[in-house]
Amino acid sequence: MHTRNEAAEIFRQLAEGLGRSGTPEFYSTLVEQLASLLGVDHALIAVVTESNMATTLAVWTDGGHQTNVSYPLAGTPCETVIGREPCLYSCDVQARFPEDELLCQLGAESYMGLPLFSADGSAIGLLAVLSNQPMQLDGLESEILRIVAAQASAELSRSQAEQALRRSEKVARESERRLNTLLNHLPGMAYRRLNDRHWTMQLVSQGVEALTGYYPDELLDNRVQSFASLIHEADQERLYLMVQKAIQQREPYRAVYRLHHRDGSCRWVWEQGQAVMGSAGHVAYLEGFISDVTDQQESQRVQDAVVQVASTVTSRVGDDYFHQLIATLATLLEAGAGFIALLDQPVPPRSSGAAHKSTLLTATTAHTVSLVAGGKLLGNQTFMLCGTPAEKVVLEGESVVKSGQTFTLPGTSFSTQAWIGRRLDNANGDAIGVMMVFYQAPLTTNAFATSVLQILSTGAATELERRRDHRHMHRLAYTDGTTGLPNRARFIELLASMGRDAATQDDSLSLLLLDIRRFKEVNDLHGHQVGDQLLATVAKRLQQANLPKSAVARLSGDEFTILLPSVEDDYLQDVMLQLCELIKRPIQLDHRVFNLDVSIGVASYPSDVSDAGELFNAASIALHHAKRRDNSVCPYTQTMRHALERRQWMTERLHQAVLERRLELYFQPQFSLKDKTLTGAEALCRWYDSEWGWVSPGEFIPLAEERGLIRLLGDWVLEEAASQLSVWQASNTPLPGRLSINISAQQFADPQLTAHVAKLTACVPSCAIALELTESDFMRDPDQAVMITRSMRKAGYALFIDDFGTGYSSLSYLRRFAADALKIDISFVRDMLDNHHDRAIVQTIIAMANTLEMKTLAEGVENPAQADLLAKMGCSEAQGYWFGRPLPADEFAAMWLTP
C-alpha cells in the first residue's frame, strides 16, 4: 500500500516520462520508467500488424534497453491480450505458454499485459510488464498501467495517424485533434463532458482525484457532485462564456481558474480543450485536460500579462507600438505612470570592476518615445540623466525602489515615490534606452512586475533599436550629406505636406528656387572640396535667415529651395533681397575670398498656380528666365510658361521641319559700292510653319543653338545652298562672285570643319562659297580659329568675319586670321548718319580692313545716303533693303541673274 506522498512522487515521475510524448525516445523512456515505478524486471511496448505479428517499439530488461524484435503472437500471453481486457498471469507464465521463446529468454515468472487501442477502438498494440518473481499489483500500480497504456495508445495512434494522413484528411484531422488533446496537457486529468450548465462528465481520468479529492465515478453523470459546482464562484460565468465563445468560433479554449477541493482548499488549475462536433453540426461533447498549476500561478500571471501585452502591441509599429506598450503595462501593473526613453548615445557594457559613476556614462540625456501618466498619453520630453531613476537603471540594468525617493516625471507634475525600471539593450549589449513604471504609493511586492518587464524588455529593445536604425536611415535618405539640409526626396514630401496645409487653411505658400551662378567654375578651378565648403556656408546662411515656419532644402548641385507659408507679396520681395545680400557676402576659405552671386525664381500659391503641387514647376520656369536674362530675382508669370511651352513646341517642330526638309533658303544680293554691280549674295534660312506661319530667324536660330539643333540645321543650309548654286549654274544663270553662308559657333568648334564643309558642298567649287563666322564665335578659341580659317582658305573658301565691331577681338589675332572681308554690323550702319560715334566706328573698321588688306561689307543699308557715305569712306560692298530684299531662289534668279 503506497502512502499519499509516495503516490504523488510516482505520478510526478510518471508525468515526467509522459512529458516526452512526441519525441523519439518516448517509448524507451516509458518502459524504463514503468519498470522502475512498478519494480518489474522487464517491460515492453509492441505494435501488432495484420499478420498477427508483434514488433516491439521499446524493450527494457535486466536494467537496460534491448534491441527491438518481431515475433509471432500465436502461443504467447500477448495473444490473449490483443483485443481483450488487461490480462494478468501472476505466476508460472512459462509453464502456461511453453512455446513462447521470449518468455524463456527473459526468465519471466509472471506477466501483466494491456491492449493498446486506436481512436476508433481497434487493437493496435500491447503493453506488457514481466517479472522473474510472482507479481501482485495494487490499485495504484494498475492505475499507472492504465495511464501508461492510454498514453502509449495515444502515441501509437498519433504515429499511425500521421501515416494515414496521406490517405485520409478526415481521419488525420480526427487523429490530430485527439493527439493534441492527449499529448500536450499531461500530466493531469483527462475528461469528456457534455456542454451543459453542469458540465456533466462522461469520462474522467484518475487524475481528477488529485485535483478535486473526488473519485472519477463520483463525478460521472453528476452522481455525487457536478464538475461545474466545483468551479470557484468568481470564475464560473467567465469560464462558461469563454468556452461558449470558443465553440462558436470553432477554436480550442484555454483557461486558468480556481477549483474547490474536497478538503476545503482551493486549487488553481489550467485547462485546455475543444468541442467535438456531431454530424448534425451540434456540439457532441467537450474533451480536454486539466492540470494543477497552483505553485506556478504567479508564473502564469506573468505569462498572461505578457500575452495580453503582446496581443495588444503585436500589430503596432513605430511610436504607436511604444504608446500601446507603456499604456498597457501601466494598466496591467497598476502603475500611475510609465515611460520608454531613448538615450542620446549608446552606453557600452560596463566591466564588473567599474565604478558606478554617472560621469562615466557616454549618454547624458534621454528622450521619451512614449510617456503616460494618469492614464493619459503626454508629449515626449528630453531630460538629463544625471540624478534620475533612469540613470540608475542604465547603471544597474534593473532598478527597484519600493518607497522613499520622490521623483517628478519630466514635463509633468506627477510625483512618485516608487518605481521599477529595466534597461533596454541592443544586439551588442549596449544600453540604448530604459523602460520604467512609477507608483505614487509604496510598493508591497515587485516580483510580478519585474518579471513582466524583464520578459517584455527584449521586444521593446528590439523595436527601439529598429527605431534608432530607422531614424538613421531616414536621415541618410532625407538629408543632404554636404549641407545637412533636407534633400530633394524630403523636399518633395515637405512641399506636398505644406501644400495640403495651405489648401486646407486657405493660406498661401511661396516657393523660392535659388541657383548659385557660375558655381561650376569654382568646382573646376578649386576642386569639389572647396565647392562643398561653399555650399555648406550658403546652407548655413539660408538657415540663419529670419524666415519663420520656412523649410530650406538642397535639391542638387548648387540649387537650393525655400518654402515660405503665409507671406505677403511685399514681404516676399524683402525676403528675396535679403537672400541675395546674404549669399553675395564674401566667403573666406583659408587665404581665398569668394564672391558668389545667385539667381532666384519664385512662385506662389494660389496667386500664381491653382495647385500647390505646381509650385516647383512654376519656380523652375522663373529660375530659367532669371538665369537666361542674368537677373537676380524673377517672379513667375503665365507668360513665362507660355514662352517656355512655345520654345519646347518650336524645338520639336523645327527638328521635324529640318528632317523633312521643309525649310527654305532666301537670298539677299550684295553689291559693289563703287560700280553698283552684283558681287554675290547671302543665303538666309526661312521657316514657314503650317500652324504658326512665318517664324522669325531671330527666334528659331538661337533656339537651334540652345537646343543642339544648329549642326543639323547648318548642314542642311550648306547642302541646300550648294545645290542651289549648282542649279543656277546648270541654268546658265550663275551667281557672280560668292554665296555667303553662315557658320555657327558649334560648327566652328569642329577641328574637321573644312573636310565636313567640302563633303556637303561637293557639287560646286569651293571658290563659289564664302563662309561667315561671327567675331564672338571665333574669339572663343582664337588659336583653333586661326588653324581652321587657314585650312579653309587653303581649301579655296572665302572667309567673312560677320557682325564685326560687336565683339572683343584682338588686333593681334585679327592679323593672323586668314579672312577675306569684315562685315560691318547693322547696328553701326543704321545710325551713322546722325551719330558721329557710330560714323567714327565705321570709318575705323574700314581703315583697319584696308590696312589688313581685307574687303569691307556693310549690312543693313536702307537708303541712298547711307550707301553714298559708305562709298566715300571706302567701304567695298554693301547689302540691305536699298539694294534688294531677301527673295526665294526662283524670284532671286529672275530679278538678279537673268540677263
Side-chain angles (χ1 to χ4, degrees):
M1 184 70 176
H2 294 83
T3 67
R4 181 180 182 86
N5 290 336
E6 289 175 339
E9 176 61 21
I10 288 173
F11 275 102
R12 186 191 66 78
Q13 294 181 30
L14 179 60
E16 291 179 356
L18 297 181
R20 295 181 179 270
S21 176
T23 64
E25 65 271 13
F26 171 73
Y27 294 115
S28 58
T29 301
L30 202 60
V31 295
E32 179 183 352
Q33 200 161 29
L34 192 60
S36 174
L37 292 173
L38 299 183
V40 297
D41 299 297
H42 319 285
L44 63 87
I45 297 175
V47 61
V48 177
T49 64
E50 295 179 355
S51 56
N52 207 32
M53 292 286 292
T55 300
T56 62
L57 301 174
V59 179
W60 176 270
T61 179
D62 295 331
H65 292 287
Q66 302 299 319
T67 304
N68 285 317
V69 298
S70 296
Y71 60 93
L73 288 173
T76 70
C78 297
E79 183 181 23
T80 66
V81 173
I82 296 303
R84 302 182 183 179
E85 296 295 326
C87 184
L88 172 65
Y89 298 97
S90 59
C91 61
D92 299 329
V93 68
Q94 291 188 49
R96 292 171 182 256
F97 299 94
E99 297 180 1
D100 191 338
E101 296 180 0
L102 184 59
L103 290 176
C104 182
Q105 293 175 6
L106 297 176
E109 175 67 18
S110 56
Y111 174 97
M112 175 66 176
L114 290 87
L116 304 181
F117 297 103
S118 67
D120 60 2
S122 60
I124 56 174
L126 60 95
L127 165 70
V129 293
L130 303 92
S131 178
N132 296 340
Q133 302 296 329
M135 184 190 308
Q136 292 295 330
L137 301 176
D138 60 18
L140 176 61
E141 292 168 335
S142 298
E143 181 65 17
I144 291 172
L145 281 172
R146 281 196 294 271
I147 291 175
V148 173
Q151 183 64 10
S153 296
E155 182 68 13
L156 192 54
S157 293
R158 183 192 63 79
S159 61
Q160 292 181 348
E162 288 180 351
Q163 298 175 4
L165 181 62
R166 293 186 293 270
R167 300 188 298 270
S168 172
E169 289 186 358
K170 181 177 179 181
V171 172
R173 286 194 299 269
E174 178 68 9
S175 298
E176 183 179 0
R177 179 186 59 76
R178 292 180 179 274
L179 287 174
N180 285 338
T181 304
L182 292 172
L183 295 177
N184 295 333
H185 308 288
L186 285 176
M189 162 192 149
Y191 67 82
R192 179 187 298 162
R193 69 185 184 219
L194 299 178
N195 186 34
D196 56 14
R197 293 297 298 199
H198 298 290
W199 278 343
T200 303
M201 290 292 178
Q202 293 183 318
L203 176 67
V204 60
S205 70
Q206 289 292 333
V208 69
E209 183 179 356
L211 283 176
T212 68
Y214 292 91
Y215 295 107
D217 58 353
E218 291 181 303
L219 294 182
L220 289 175
D221 297 323
N222 305 324
R223 291 172 186 168
V224 174
Q225 194 81 23
S226 72
F227 183 79
S229 66
L230 299 179
I231 300 172
H232 193 282
E233 296 77 7
D235 298 333
Q236 287 180 0
E237 189 65 19
R238 173 183 61 84
L239 181 62
Y240 180 79
L241 294 176
M242 183 272 297
V243 171
Q244 302 313 308
K245 182 178 180 180
I247 293 173
Q248 292 175 1
Q249 296 177 350
R250 301 297 179 92
E251 295 178 349
Y253 51 84
R254 300 176 182 86
V256 174
Y257 56 94
R258 288 159 290 183
L259 278 179
H260 291 294
H261 195 273
R262 195 169 202 166
D263 62 9
S265 64
C266 193
R267 307 287 180 90
W268 281 95
V269 297
W270 182 75
E271 176 180 352
Q272 174 165 322
Q274 63 184 20
V276 178
M277 310 305 291
S279 58
H282 64 278
V283 179
Y285 49 83
L286 308 177
E287 63 179 13
F289 280 87
I290 304 174
S291 58
D292 190 332
V293 293
T294 303
D295 294 338
Q296 297 82 26
Q297 203 276 332
E298 188 69 17
S299 297
Q300 189 64 46
R301 284 184 63 207
V302 172
Q303 178 180 337
D304 289 345
V306 172
V307 170
Q308 179 180 343
V309 174
S311 63
T312 304
V313 304
T314 295
S315 61
R316 315 273 179 164
V317 294
D319 291 343
D320 198 26
Y321 170 88
F322 295 115
H323 297 337
Q324 195 63 48
L325 174 59
I326 200 64
T328 305
L329 274 177
T331 301
L332 191 66
L333 303 181
E334 299 177 348
F339 66 63
I340 298 174
L342 177 68
L343 304 181
D344 62 332
Q345 293 291 332
V347 177
R350 303 167 64 80
S351 61
S352 58
H356 287 181
K357 296 181 180 179
S358 61
T359 55
L360 298 178
L361 290 180
T362 55
T364 58
T365 63
H367 177 76
T368 62
V369 296
S370 186
L371 173 61
V372 171
K376 295 181 179 180
L377 180 65
L378 306 179
N380 285 319
Q381 303 290 324
T382 299
F383 60 93
M384 301 298 295
L385 276 177
C386 184
T388 68
E391 179 192 31
K392 192 174 182 180
V393 172
V394 173
L395 291 170
E396 299 178 1
E398 183 176 82
S399 177
V400 178
V401 172
K402 292 186 176 182
S403 66
Q405 296 188 21
T406 303
F407 173 70
T408 301
L409 263 67
T412 74
S413 57
F414 191 92
S415 182
T416 71
Q417 60 172 310
W419 60 77
I420 302 172
R422 182 81 183 178
R423 186 176 65 200
L424 303 179
D425 295 344
N426 63 15
N428 298 325
D430 302 334
I432 59 174
V434 293
M435 178 166 60
M436 302 188 68
V437 290
F438 299 87
Y439 301 85
Q440 291 180 303
L443 277 174
T444 57
T445 180
N446 62 280
F448 173 63
T450 53
S451 298
V452 171
L453 286 179
Q454 180 179 6
I455 294 172
L456 294 176
S457 63
T458 301
T462 300
E463 182 64 19
L464 199 61
E465 185 173 18
R466 189 199 66 77
R467 174 192 175 94
R468 180 186 287 274
D469 292 342
H470 176 75
R471 290 174 62 185
H472 177 64
M473 290 186 291
H474 186 275
R475 284 195 297 271
L476 292 178
Y478 289 99
T479 304
D480 174 58
T482 301
T483 63
L485 294 176
N487 60 12
R488 177 180 289 270
R490 179 57 180 153
F491 161 73
I492 292 172
E493 292 185 355
L494 287 170
L495 175 58
S497 174
M498 296 175 73
R500 285 193 299 270
D501 292 344
T504 303
Q505 300 168 13
D506 195 22
D507 202 352
S508 65
L509 179 64
S510 297
L511 190 154
L512 283 66
L513 203 55
L514 298 83
D515 182 88
I516 308 301
R517 292 183 186 170
R518 295 176 291 279
F519 184 77
K520 185 177 183 301
E521 297 177 9
V522 175
N523 272 340
D524 293 343
L525 290 174
H526 304 285
H528 288 276
Q529 183 176 0
V530 171
D532 288 348
Q533 289 179 285
L534 289 174
L535 291 175
T537 303
V538 170
K540 187 175 182 180
R541 289 182 177 181
L542 294 178
Q543 287 178 300
Q544 291 175 345
N546 185 22
L547 303 176
K549 301 181 181 179
S550 65
V552 183
R554 180 194 177 200
L555 301 186
S556 63
D558 57 354
E559 197 169 75
F560 296 84
T561 186
I562 301 177
L563 288 167
L564 285 171
S566 309
V567 293
E568 301 294 336
D569 290 343
D570 293 343
Y571 177 67
L572 187 59
Q573 293 296 326
D574 293 340
V575 167
M576 290 187 288
L577 293 176
Q578 175 191 353
L579 294 175
C580 289
E581 292 175 0
L582 281 175
I583 296 174
K584 289 180 180 180
R585 278 167 31 198
I587 300 174
Q588 182 166 356
L589 298 178
D590 297 329
H591 61 280
R592 292 186 293 266
V593 176
F594 296 89
N595 293 281
L596 302 180
D597 203 355
V598 65
S599 296
I600 302 178
V602 59
S604 298
Y605 164 85
S607 58
D608 294 329
V609 295
S610 58
D611 185 343
E614 300 173 2
L615 277 175
F616 181 71
N617 177 258
S620 298
I621 293 173
L623 178 62
H624 175 75
H625 279 73
K627 292 163 67 175
R628 284 188 63 201
R629 300 177 182 179
D630 207 28
N631 294 337
S632 293
V633 176
C634 187
Y636 170 80
T637 65
Q638 284 294 328
T639 303
M640 294 178 184
R641 177 179 293 278
H642 296 155
L644 189 61
E645 290 174 349
R646 176 178 171 82
R647 291 173 63 82
Q648 181 62 35
W649 296 336
M650 184 177 291
T651 301
E652 297 172 2
R653 298 175 77 91
L654 176 59
H655 190 196
Q656 196 66 25
V658 175
L659 293 177
E660 296 176 359
R661 307 182 74 85
R662 288 190 282 105
L663 300 177
E664 188 176 0
L665 285 184
Y666 275 44
F667 302 88
Q668 186 172 32
Q670 297 171 339
F671 283 85
S672 168
L673 288 172
K674 183 178 181 180
D675 52 20
K676 304 299 188 290
T677 58
L678 185 68
T679 59
E682 181 177 4
L684 301 171
C685 187
R686 295 293 185 265
W687 176 26
Y688 182 84
D689 183 80
S690 59
E691 181 177 341
W692 294 337
W694 289 106
V695 183
S696 169
E699 185 176 11
F700 74 80
I701 296 296
L703 182 65
E705 292 177 339
E706 179 184 323
R707 301 299 175 90
L709 296 177
I710 196 65
R711 288 178 180 266
L712 183 66
L713 178 59
D715 287 353
W716 176 84
V717 170
L718 283 166
E719 190 174 12
E720 185 69 16
S723 176
Q724 186 59 57
L725 282 175
S726 178
V727 169
W728 285 336
Q729 289 174 354
S731 303
N732 293 319
T733 54
L735 176 71
R738 300 173 185 262
L739 179 62
S740 296
I741 303 172
N742 288 282
I743 298 295
S744 72
Q746 294 180 35
Q747 290 173 287
F748 198 63
D750 181 9
Q752 305 299 320
L753 178 60
T754 303
H756 187 62
V757 172
K759 180 180 179 181
L760 294 172
T761 61
C763 61
V764 295
S766 58
C767 61
I769 295 175
L771 300 175
E772 294 191 7
L773 314 170
T774 65
E775 179 183 10
S776 57
D777 288 346
F778 68 69
M779 284 306 298
R780 293 183 182 182
D781 189 346
D783 292 324
Q784 179 171 293
V786 169
M787 180 186 67
I788 292 176
T789 54
R790 289 181 176 176
S791 172
M792 287 182 168
R793 282 294 301 276
K794 187 176 181 181
Y797 298 102
L799 296 176
F800 290 1
I801 299 178
D802 197 10
D803 300 336
F804 191 79
T806 60
Y808 303 94
S809 56
S810 166
L811 291 177
S812 62
Y813 277 109
L814 187 61
R815 180 172 50 83
R816 295 170 58 195
F817 288 138
D820 294 278
L822 299 180
K823 294 189 72 173
I824 304 173
D825 188 69
I826 188 175
S827 62
F828 302 119
V829 174
R830 182 185 300 115
D831 299 324
M832 70 177 185
L833 295 176
D834 302 317
N835 189 313
H836 68 277
H837 293 294
D838 287 348
R839 188 164 57 249
I841 291 174
V842 173
Q843 184 67 68
T844 302
I845 293 173
I846 294 171
M848 184 188 304
N850 291 335
T851 302
L852 297 175
E853 298 181 351
M854 298 180 185
K855 295 191 304 181
T856 50
L857 192 155
E859 296 180 305
V861 179
E862 298 181 352
N863 56 64
Q866 291 173 336
D868 291 342
L869 181 56
L870 288 168
K872 290 177 182 179
M873 288 180 176
C875 182
S876 309
E877 299 176 3
Q879 69 183 78
Y881 286 177
W882 173 248
F883 297 101
R885 293 176 176 270
L887 296 172
D890 291 343
E891 295 182 25
F892 180 87
M895 178 169 288
W896 302 110
L897 303 182
T898 303

